[in-house]
Amino acid sequence: MLKLTEASLDWALNHIERFGNTNIFPVPFEFEVIRHVWETELKPFLLKEDILNWQTRPHRRCLTPKHRYGFRIATQLDPLDAIIFTALVGEIGNDIEASRIPVSKKIAFSNRFKQANDGQMYNPKYNYPAFLAHCSTLSESKAYKYVVLADIADFFPRIYSHPLENALTDCTTKSEHVSATKKLLKSWNFTISVGIPVGPQISMVLAELVLDDVDKGLVDEGTRFCRYVDDFRIFCKDEVEAHEKLALLARILYENHALTLQQHKTFILPKKLFKERYLRSEKVHELESLTGKLRELLNAIGIEDPYEQVIYEDLNEDQQKQIDELNLVEILREQINRYEIDIPLTRFVLRRLSQFDDIEGLELVLKNIDALYPVFTDVIRYIQELRALDASRRQHVGKALLSFLEKSLVGHLDFHRLWIFNTFSKNREWDNEGTFAAMYHEYPDSFSRRELILALGIADRIDKITITYVGRSE
């Protein structure tokens, strides 16, 4: 029998409320209901459950963009399953982290588990900018003249359960947690012994454990490299060594996990060319500079959470001036005018514009949504979180969002429609509710219909449609 602790369940819900039940989909409204009955009903129920016998509920999957021309299948778990999965793996998260190559080695920069009561799951010091910065440092060394860039093909869907189970067994003495995790994954994969769900943040803990033996295998062979998730950068003294290390990586991946490398994203480049084409050191420094300035500003204001909303009008004149000097809108405009945007930098800017309730970038994103296709969800989050818009402006924005369905690149995916319609399911301020009933019949996918039903309910117009069938996931 395996019962989860109260602390782990509380942490799991705190994490989902703060960071979402995935890093891809909007947070379902059900979590507000869960919080309302958490102490009185739901947590006592979950505390009594034997997780080894937990029966998972229907989940949702759809095609989502990975970048402008790439896609992946993402999963949104049932809310209760999301809490159970997060709490379960969270209870062995420290064991998993302790078994990985230490952070002091500066090899794996992704998803370093560091639990905090407020729901924090990962150490914020180890992230993609830190990975790029370390690549920049290594590229300055005269010892390396060539760089291998390698990316695993279809990593998450091709993770086999047996190596994962073996790695879990080796890193923790909590055998029941291993068994329960194995059962959950099989239930979501329809008993197929391959793949972990893309979307839940806690999945990344398992993915990192899978790759840890690859990291250690490369280290044992004297390889100088660093990694962010499935993106490897290997630094070599000459071209011969580069070919040898690439072959070594390919062999370890295949022999240990039956994984292969993406041909179109795997290269051997002279260091100079690597720096010019892929490191984009000027963008690394720009992002680092922006991040540093923001951190200093927030610390001066007395805000510890880097994502906490800031009331611009409450700041003094000097603090407002510092925010203005970040030139966020101009950076966004510069990215839009590029052939391809710098995705991490653009996401940073959109999140900061939202944090500061800066509406100056609003028309810019609405008029250039196709250029911002790779960060569409960040655009929607920015729009949804703006507080300074009056009723008339919100109606204008609502109309613009609905126009994307027919007049932009984003309208063809269920996933994008989900995010657009989700805006109208929040409240009635975005107006345009007279179109929802017709759209319910125009877009039959479960993602669109769920959000449209919620939007019609908010607008008190649910009687305008006849729901003949609602799938289990709705």
Side-chain angles (χ1 to χ4, degrees), residues 387-395 429:
R387 308 180 298 281
L389 297 179
D390 58 25
S392 176
R393 193 78 181 276
R394 287 184 185 273
Q395 292 171 15
E429 296 177 359

Coordinates of all heavy atoms in Angstrom, one line a residue, residues 387-395 429:
R387 N -4.2 44.5 -17.1 CA -5.2 45.0 -16.2 C -5.6 46.4 -16.6 O -6.6 46.9 -16.1 CB -4.6 45.0 -14.8 CG -4.0 43.6 -14.4 CD -3.4 43.6 -13.0 NE -2.3 44.5 -12.8 CZ -1.1 44.3 -13.2 NH1 -0.8 43.2 -13.8 NH2 -0.1 45.2 -13.0
A388 N -4.9 47.1 -17.4 CA -5.1 48.5 -17.7 C -6.1 48.7 -18.8 O -6.4 49.9 -19.1 CB -3.8 49.2 -18.0
L389 N -6.6 47.7 -19.5 CA -7.5 47.8 -20.6 C -8.9 48.2 -20.1 O -9.5 47.5 -19.3 CB -7.6 46.6 -21.4 CG -6.3 46.1 -22.1 CD1 -6.5 44.8 -22.9 CD2 -5.7 47.2 -23.0
D390 N -9.5 49.2 -20.7 CA -10.9 49.5 -20.4 C -11.9 48.6 -21.2 O -11.4 47.8 -22.1 CB -11.3 51.0 -20.7 CG -11.0 51.4 -22.1 OD1 -11.0 50.5 -23.0 OD2 -10.8 52.6 -22.4
A391 N -13.2 48.7 -21.0 CA -14.1 47.8 -21.6 C -14.1 47.9 -23.1 O -14.1 46.9 -23.8 CB -15.5 48.1 -21.1
S392 N -14.0 49.1 -23.7 CA -14.0 49.3 -25.1 C -12.8 48.6 -25.7 O -12.9 48.0 -26.8 CB -14.0 50.8 -25.4 OG -13.9 51.0 -26.8
R393 N -11.6 48.8 -25.1 CA -10.4 48.2 -25.6 C -10.4 46.7 -25.6 O -10.0 46.0 -26.5 CB -9.2 48.8 -24.8 CG -7.9 48.5 -25.5 CD -7.6 49.5 -26.6 NE -6.3 49.2 -27.2 CZ -5.1 49.7 -26.7 NH1 -5.1 50.5 -25.6 NH2 -4.0 49.5 -27.4
R394 N -11.0 46.2 -24.5 CA -11.1 44.7 -24.4 C -12.0 44.1 -25.5 O -11.8 43.1 -26.1 CB -11.6 44.3 -23.0 CG -10.6 44.5 -21.9 CD -11.1 44.0 -20.6 NE -10.2 44.3 -19.5 CZ -9.1 43.5 -19.2 NH1 -9.0 42.4 -19.8 NH2 -8.3 43.9 -18.2
Q395 N -13.1 44.8 -25.8 CA -14.0 44.4 -26.9 C -13.2 44.4 -28.2 O -13.4 43.5 -29.1 CB -15.2 45.3 -27.0 CG -16.1 45.1 -25.8 CD -17.2 46.1 -25.8 OE1 -17.5 46.8 -26.8 NE2 -17.9 46.3 -24.6
E429 N -15.8 40.4 -20.3 CA -15.2 41.7 -20.7 C -14.7 41.8 -22.1 O -14.6 42.8 -22.7 CB -14.1 42.1 -19.7 CG -14.6 42.3 -18.3 CD -13.4 42.6 -17.3 OE1 -12.2 42.6 -17.8 OE2 -13.6 42.8 -16.1

